Amino acid sequence: DIQMTQSPSSLSASVGDRVTITCRASQSNNNYLNWYQQKPGKAPKLLIYAASILQSGVPSRFSGSGSGTDFTLTVSSLQPEDFATYYCQQSYSIPLTFGGGTKVEIK
Amino acid sequence: QVQLVESGGGLVKPGGSLRLSCAASGFTFSDYYMTWIRQAPGKGLEWISYTSGSGFTIYYADSVKGRFTISRDNTKNSLYLQMNSLRAEDTAVYYCVRGLDFYDYVLTYWGQGTLVTVSS
């Protein structure tokens, strides 16, 4: 199984800040790496797939990068609606696996 | 538009059974792989099962293998999860999920989730 490790597990930031979340896979996943946003009481929402492709309708302040085993989600200018928990997920092999999540809180 | 609506959750005693359903609409159901994901209270996301469009290819997480059965009825545009021998650690919100076109494992469309609570 491919293990996914996210860091940090939580962070505090202010509106307008640039925020970066990292995800490391235990083995190469051929860039089959996706990012999701989840707000309390809601289902996760796909933000980025294949490491860097922005899902339709997602604001361009979100971006993804990386390759091999190391990946990054960046929010260029944090907005009030971006305070949420973010998960990475590898879609290269079964079992599909997720990172432990990064909770982005208001400073 | 794509819509997924889960039902069937509730309170069940340890060792009991429950059957979840997911009604799909807005797309050609038989063309898509479908997945069940769960999330324990206050915890992260866990993939538990997946079925191909035909239902012939099925995978399970080790945590549910032998206890849970995924199935689908393409004539009814419905996905199911039969859960037997339930344990306290199966307590979670269960989501029915569809992938993206050509990217089956990119979890794009999610239902609202249904809560399963296993407790005596």
Side-chain angles (χ1 to χ4, degrees), chain A residues 5-11 20-24 35 71 88 99-102:
Chain A
T5 304
Q6 259 182 264
S7 61
S9 56
S10 66
L11 64 90
T20 298
I21 298 168
T22 63
C23 181
R24 173 165 289 177
W35 290 98
F71 301 90
C88 63
T102 297

Side-chain angles (χ1 to χ4, degrees), chain A residues 34 36 38 42-46 49-50 53 55 87 89 91-96 98 100, chain B residues 35 37 39 43-47 50 59 62 95 100 103 105-112:
Chain A
N34 314 307
Y36 302 85
Q38 186 178 31
K42 300 293 188 182
K45 171 188 173 182
L46 176 67
Y49 64 97
I53 301 175
Q55 168 65 348
Y87 294 93
Q89 174 236 342
S91 52
Y92 179 62
S93 65
I94 294 292
L96 305 182
F98 293 87
Chain B
T35 300
I37 302 288
Q39 186 170 36
K43 302 297 184 183
L45 301 166
E46 180 187 13
W47 170 83
Y50 143 106
Y59 294 106
D62 288 344
Y95 294 102
L100 191 61
Y103 293 88
Y105 299 162
V106 177
L107 306 170
T108 309
Y109 299 97
W110 297 65
Q112 84 287 356

